[in-house]
Amino acid sequence: MKRISVNECKVRFPALSRNEGLSRSAAAAFAVQCDPTVEEISAIKTAVSEAVTNAIVHGYRDANGEVELLMRLYSDNAVYIQVKDKGRGIPDVRKAMQPTYTTAPADEERSGLGFTVMESFMDKVRVRSVEGRGTVVTMEKKIAGKLNDER
């Protein structure tokens, strides 16, 4: 059965850590249309924050760039979120998704749990990346509430 998109929003912002809060708020505000629980909103905000932080910290380490946040709602009350950067890319996605793996320098305190956190809070997480071209993290979460489908 083909999924029907009922709303979509795209936000682009500079890859600056101060914009992590913007991404969390944007995702939460968009998902409110599905009448989510506080726990569902918190899960979405946390997963988006991890994905955006990865893009900023790892994708654009010591470089300027832009992060794109694409959010889509489907008629089955699923929230689709895509976080895209055009940064350094990930040489080995499978390895990067292992708990505690990090490419951060030893003097930085990074846990290497970003992808693990995303997977624990969302129903689906997919990562595509090409070295030197960037990374796309796609996440989905089914919301228990009812979509407010006012047009």
Side-chain angles (χ1 to χ4, degrees), residues 8-139:
E8 183 174 297
C9 179
K10 189 181 290 186
V11 180
R12 289 189 192 114
F13 48 89
L16 303 171
S17 61
R18 65 176 161 254
N19 287 330
E20 291 165 16
L22 167 69
S23 67
R24 284 190 300 271
S25 297
F30 192 76
V32 161
Q33 299 169 71
C34 291
D35 192 26
T37 65
V38 171
E39 291 81 13
E40 289 168 330
I41 283 289
S42 180
I44 289 168
K45 288 169 66 175
T46 300
V48 166
S49 182
E50 291 294 334
V52 169
T53 298
N54 277 356
I56 294 168
V57 170
H58 300 291
Y60 293 114
R61 180 173 300 284
D62 302 322
N64 294 323
E66 185 177 81
V67 177
E68 180 180 286
L69 179 64
L70 170 66
M71 299 165 287
R72 191 176 290 143
L73 297 178
Y74 288 102
S75 58
D76 64 353
N77 231 34
V79 177
Y80 169 97
I81 299 171
Q82 182 183 81
V83 178
K84 181 177 183 180
D85 70 66
K86 293 182 180 176
R88 299 167 13 144
I90 302 170
D92 185 342
V93 171
R94 194 140 93 216
K95 186 175 183 180
M97 292 184 76
Q98 295 300 311
T100 71
Y101 177 82
T102 183
T103 59
D107 63 337
E108 285 186 20
E109 291 186 31
R110 297 283 171 193
S111 67
L113 294 174
F115 289 124
T116 303
V117 169
M118 288 178 235
E119 289 176 321
S120 70
F121 284 104
M122 302 297 276
D123 299 327
K124 293 180 186 174
V125 176
R126 290 181 300 277
V127 180
R128 290 188 337 256
S129 190
V130 176
E131 269 190 283
R133 296 189 54 198
T135 302
V136 178
V137 176
T138 304
M139 303 175 283

